[in-house]
């Protein structure tokens, strides 16, 4: 018997845990991910709609990483971590 999908995955419309997806029709956030770390599962929406990241090493890129460094370090359960990975 096939194992049923987690309702959080279906609601977010993603293919699996820790697999970010664009959300072009969301009014404010550009991406969604269902993050899983151990037994903890959390739906995270992140990224400002319509804003593109910047090339690695650019001043804008460095400023983002410096400004959000403390939150990025929190790991998979933070929006800053996913924004850093996907957009920047």
């Amino acid at each position: 018997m096939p194992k049923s999908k987690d309702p959080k995955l279906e609601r977010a419309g993603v293919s699996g845990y820790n697999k970010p997806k664009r959300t072009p029709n969301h009014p404010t956030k550009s991406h969604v991910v269902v993050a899983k770390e151990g037994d903890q599962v959390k739906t995270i929406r992140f990224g400002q709609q319509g804003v593109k990241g910047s090339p690695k090493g650019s001043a804008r890129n460095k400023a983002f990483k410096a400004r959000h460094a403390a939150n990025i370090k929190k790991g998979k359960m933070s929006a800053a971590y996913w924004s850093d990975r996907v957009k920047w």
Side-chain angles (χ1 to χ4, degrees), residues 34-55:
V34 178
K36 184 173 183 175
E37 204 167 43
D39 288 344
Q40 196 179 10
V41 178
K42 184 176 175 183
T43 301
I44 300 172
R45 291 188 179 278
F46 63 93
Q48 188 179 339
Q49 196 66 268
V51 174
K52 292 193 171 40
S54 232

Side-chain angles (χ1 to χ4, degrees), residues 1-85:
M1 194 165 160
K3 191 177 172 188
S4 63
K5 242 184 169 183
D6 184 327
K8 286 186 179 189
L9 292 175
E10 287 183 17
R11 198 172 317 120
V14 293
S15 60
Y17 297 111
N18 301 325
K19 294 187 187 280
K21 180 183 175 186
R22 291 222 48 218
T23 55
N25 296 324
H26 192 275
T28 55
K29 299 298 177 185
S30 66
H31 290 75
V32 66
V33 66
V34 178
K36 184 173 183 175
E37 204 167 43
D39 288 344
Q40 196 179 10
V41 178
K42 184 176 175 183
T43 301
I44 300 172
R45 291 188 179 278
F46 63 93
Q48 188 179 339
Q49 196 66 268
V51 174
K52 292 193 171 40
S54 232
K56 261 195 170 93
S58 68
R60 216 169 138 233
N61 175 276
K62 287 177 182 172
F64 173 86
K65 289 180 185 289
R67 187 168 62 248
H68 297 286
N71 291 324
I72 292 168
K73 282 182 195 161
K74 289 179 182 175
K76 287 181 186 174
M77 301 312 257
S78 76
Y81 171 87
W82 290 105
S83 195
D84 178 51
R85 247 184 97 174

